[in-house]
Amino acid sequence: MDVQKFREVIRRRNETHDEYDYGVEMCDKEEIQILAEDIPSTIEYLKNDCTAEEFFWISEIIDDLATEIQSREIVECYKNLGKNILTWLRHLTLPAV
């Protein structure tokens, strides 16, 4: 998986207005293509390098990705990452006012 390319697509998607359907669809397709091209390295990325922001963007396309690649291991890895992010968020505390 080309992580730098994936991050570039996420940057473009972030800059694309949500109502620009064609632009959103092109970014989504490219994200899916990058994540699907090498399953073992995508799993490694999800386990070790995926940020919370990247997880958020993947959440937009995870159903389409799962349909395309038919990999239970990626779906389970994604779910575990989500649990880890939620646990991390729960441990954040706001300063007392």
Side-chain angles (χ1 to χ4, degrees):
M1 177 188 160
D2 187 338
V3 175
Q4 293 297 16
K5 185 175 178 184
F6 183 70
R7 288 179 174 155
E8 174 61 26
V9 175
I10 287 175
R11 185 193 59 74
R12 279 188 285 138
R13 171 59 188 96
N14 191 33
E15 294 172 354
T16 302
H17 194 281
D18 288 341
E19 297 200 18
Y20 178 44
D21 292 336
Y22 179 75
V24 170
E25 185 177 324
M26 291 296 97
C27 288
D28 290 353
K29 285 182 179 181
E30 197 169 351
E31 286 176 46
I32 292 167
Q33 179 183 10
I34 293 167
L35 292 169
E37 68 190 359
D38 181 6
I39 304 302
S41 68
T42 297
I43 290 169
E44 189 70 21
Y45 161 76
L46 290 172
K47 287 181 177 178
N48 299 309
D49 297 319
C50 185
T51 67
E53 181 181 4
E54 291 163 352
F55 176 84
F56 167 79
W57 289 110
I58 293 170
S59 72
E60 285 194 336
I61 54 105
I62 191 63
D63 291 337
D64 293 333
L65 177 65
T67 299
E68 176 152 334
I69 62 174
Q70 300 289 308
S71 169
R72 175 173 284 205
E73 192 174 5
I74 281 211
V75 173
E76 289 302 315
C77 187
Y78 174 80
K79 285 181 184 179
N80 288 336
L81 178 60
K83 289 176 188 174
N84 291 342
I85 288 173
L86 287 175
T87 300
W88 177 78
L89 288 172
R90 284 187 193 119
H91 286 89
L92 290 178
T93 57
L94 296 175
V97 180

